Amino acid sequence: MTGAASAIFILDMKGRVLIWRDYRGDVSAAQAERFFARLMEGEGDPSSQDPVKLHEGVTYLFIQYNNVYVMAASRQNCNAASLLLFLHRVVDVFKHYFDELEEESLRDNFVVVYELLDEMMDYGYPQYTEARILSEFIKTDAYRMEVTQLPPMAVTNAVSWRSEGIRYKKNEAFLDVVESVNILVNSNGQLVRSEVIGALKMRTYLSGMPECKLGLNDRVLLEAQGRAIKGKAIDLDDIKFHQCVRLARFENDRTISFIPPDGAFDLMTYRLSTQVKPLFWVEAQVERHSRSRVEYSVKARSQFKERSTATSVEIELPVPPDATTPSVRTSTGSSTYAPEKEALIWKIKSFPGGKEYMLKAQFGLSSISSEENTPEKRPPIRVRFEIPYLTVSGIQVRYLKIIEKSGYRALPWVRYITTAGEYELRMI
């Protein structure tokens, strides 16, 4: 069984205990201060030390945020990762209540801090760690705090991320599959780095305690079921789930089963490091004339299927810092000279797949370089875009089932979109 925390301490930068919540009565504040004083005097700055220390039979785990340390202590064989995660949740909850966590905000709200620590942990075991749930029954303002007592929730079978009694007239769930493409192409046209960062973003407006099941075109699942793979199957890797997902169920049969939080949350994030074909290819030819004028000839080509269309395309073309008097012609879209960015920004509202557009620009140069042959360093061309109804990885939602004991019918909506992350093409 995972060991429980004995106490939670909040200390200032000198190692003095500001707030202390005892849960098991076997570690005192004086012990914690002695440990921290020894750590600071004998081993230097605690921020450079390991966050887990064993001292006189007590395991101390701590993190720093602004000018305070949040520390847990335990005499048991505790799960260090679990308690460190809990400390980060404590910081998140305090920031939700006080806007910012620092020594002054703790001194001004010490009563609320104790109330929160009482609800977040019971006898050393984490309970409520979601700020949205805590704020439903611990309500504060500048002058007073209103607390509505709720019956204690059992440690097991606790759904800490969702309240009971939620009701909606129209039950809906929205799922956005969003993929961000990171691309780096060198000046020789070679792909140096390609990466896809994906997220399944949900917004749920569902009554009661719904059970949701999500199926993807996951190669491992389809092969395990002996199903014929129609179309593209993907190899999910580097997956991170929201805490609502039943991990044991996913490990057993690759089923994504969960009771969702209310509102917006990221159900799953993933990363694909396989090489992907650049969605946009941009070539720029630069020609200088008599060191007082420079011309650009830019060609932008979309390399995705014709049935898809990119929107809000922006191509940021770097120009010399002394460039003046821009003269620009484009085959489509509009251009804006942004001297504060030392760039010319080419905007195209709609860019269908398989199309190619041109831009020609001329700038005057206000200064004259001393050496004509000095190689010029230019930042890369940066591209921003959105492509609806498309995912680079080929991930697809096969089904999204919503079941609730009251038997209502819910409407699930699924949308796909690909955006540019760090999308850069070097010119030199």
Side-chain angles (χ1 to χ4, degrees):
M1 185 175 181
T2 302
S6 299
I8 298 293
F9 303 91
I10 302 178
L11 308 93
D12 62 15
M13 296 301 291
K14 296 182 179 179
R16 295 175 298 197
V17 174
L18 302 173
I19 291 175
W20 165 42
R21 181 63 180 90
D22 184 14
Y23 295 106
R24 303 178 75 89
D26 53 6
V27 178
S28 67
Q31 286 176 285
E33 286 190 340
R34 285 199 302 270
F35 157 74
F36 220 79
R38 179 175 176 179
L39 184 68
M40 296 179 73
E41 294 172 3
E43 302 185 16
D45 183 4
S47 64
S48 65
Q49 305 299 320
D50 294 335
V52 182
K53 293 285 186 181
L54 181 64
H55 178 66
E56 296 180 351
V58 179
T59 302
Y60 294 94
L61 309 95
F62 60 90
I63 61 174
Q64 181 185 358
Y65 189 86
N66 287 341
N67 59 353
V68 296
Y69 291 95
V70 185
M71 184 170 71
S74 176
R75 284 196 176 274
Q76 301 187 18
N77 183 18
C78 61
N79 185 325
S82 175
L83 286 181
L84 285 172
L85 176 60
F86 176 79
L87 296 181
H88 284 283
R89 290 288 177 84
V90 169
V91 171
D92 291 341
V93 169
F94 287 173
K95 287 168 62 180
H96 173 81
Y97 271 83
F98 313 139
D99 290 331
E100 192 54 84
L101 173 58
E102 55 186 25
E103 183 177 342
E104 184 178 354
S105 64
L106 290 171
R107 292 186 184 277
D108 291 342
N109 298 281
F110 71 93
V111 175
V112 185
V113 171
Y114 278 110
E115 290 288 345
L116 289 169
L117 292 177
D118 282 342
E119 295 294 343
M120 294 182 71
M121 184 167 275
D122 181 23
Y123 197 56
Y125 293 100
Q127 298 291 302
Y128 300 98
T129 58
E130 291 285 333
R132 286 186 296 181
I133 301 299
L134 287 163
S135 61
E136 290 186 10
F137 56 92
I138 297 182
K139 303 180 184 294
T140 61
D141 54 34
Y143 306 101
R144 62 190 178 90
M145 179 186 65
E146 297 177 359
V147 179
T148 303
Q149 296 295 332
L150 294 181
M153 182 181 289
V155 176
T156 57
N157 299 324
V159 185
S160 61
W161 55 86
R162 185 179 180 90
S163 300
E164 294 186 3
I166 296 174
R167 291 288 179 268
Y168 287 99
K169 290 183 179 179
K170 187 177 182 181
N171 292 283
E172 295 180 301
F174 299 88
L175 173 61
D176 288 346
V177 181
V178 182
E179 290 190 343
S180 178
V181 181
N182 298 328
I183 289 286
L184 177 60
V185 177
N186 66 17
S187 57
N188 296 324
Q190 297 173 326
L191 190 62
V192 178
R193 179 174 70 102
S194 68
E195 182 183 54
V196 178
I197 306 296
L200 271 60
K201 297 179 175 292
M202 288 199 73
R203 288 174 293 128
T204 60
Y205 307 100
L206 301 171
S207 303
M209 299 292 281
E211 290 273 354
C212 298
K213 291 183 180 180
L214 177 68
L216 303 173
N217 58 330
D218 179 6
R219 185 186 303 276
V220 176
L221 170 61
L222 296 176
E223 290 179 350
Q225 294 177 343
R227 298 168 62 106
I229 300 176
K230 297 180 180 179
K232 185 176 180 180
I234 61 168
D235 297 310
L236 293 175
D237 198 9
D238 284 345
I239 302 171
K240 181 181 178 182
F241 286 114
H242 187 276
Q243 63 174 323
C244 67
V245 176
R246 297 181 177 91
L247 296 181
R249 181 76 182 274
F250 181 77
E251 291 294 333
N252 288 335
D253 59 13
R254 307 289 284 190
T255 299
I256 302 174
S257 176
F258 58 99
I259 298 176
D262 187 44
F265 67 101
D266 285 357
L267 176 67
M268 183 182 92
T269 59
Y270 58 93
R271 181 176 66 88
L272 296 174
S273 56
T274 55
Q275 184 166 318
V276 298
K277 182 180 180 181
L279 297 169
F280 282 92
W281 194 265
V282 182
E283 298 175 3
Q285 293 183 350
V286 184
E287 187 176 357
R288 282 182 173 269
H289 300 276
S290 67
R291 293 183 295 180
S292 62
R293 182 167 57 91
V294 62
E295 289 185 355
Y296 289 82
S297 179
V298 183
K299 182 188 301 182
R301 183 172 68 253
S302 56
Q303 301 190 136
F304 47 89
K305 294 182 179 179
E306 295 180 2
R307 66 171 179 264
S308 297
T309 300
T311 61
S312 305
V313 178
E314 289 189 8
I315 300 172
E316 186 176 307
L317 180 72
V319 299
D322 59 338
T324 58
T325 60
S327 174
V328 185
R329 301 192 315 273
T330 64
S331 60
T332 189
S334 61
S335 64
T336 304
Y337 175 45
E340 71 281 2
K341 294 183 177 181
E342 298 178 2
L344 178 70
I345 300 176
W346 183 11
K347 296 183 179 180
I348 304 171
K349 291 183 180 180
S350 178
F351 203 136
K355 293 290 185 180
E356 183 175 288
Y357 298 123
M358 299 286 295
L359 174 144
K360 291 186 178 294
Q362 179 177 290
F363 292 88
L365 301 177
S366 59
S367 62
I368 300 176
S369 59
S370 58
E371 297 184 21
E372 189 172 347
N373 296 326
T374 301
E376 183 181 357
K377 294 183 179 179
R378 296 192 188 97
I381 299 172
R382 295 183 172 89
V383 185
R384 290 178 287 272
F385 57 84
E386 291 186 357
I387 308 178
Y389 315 113
L390 175 72
T391 57
V392 176
S393 68
I395 190 172
Q396 291 181 353
V397 177
R398 294 172 49 236
Y399 61 83
L400 175 56
K401 298 178 181 178
I402 302 169
I403 303 171
E404 213 277 331
K405 61 182 180 181
S406 64
Y408 65 74
R409 295 189 63 181
L411 299 174
W413 304 89
V414 181
R415 182 174 60 172
Y416 301 90
I417 188 169
T418 294
T419 66
E422 296 179 359
Y423 200 106
E424 299 179 346
L425 302 97
R426 292 175 178 166
M427 299 177 63
I428 294 181

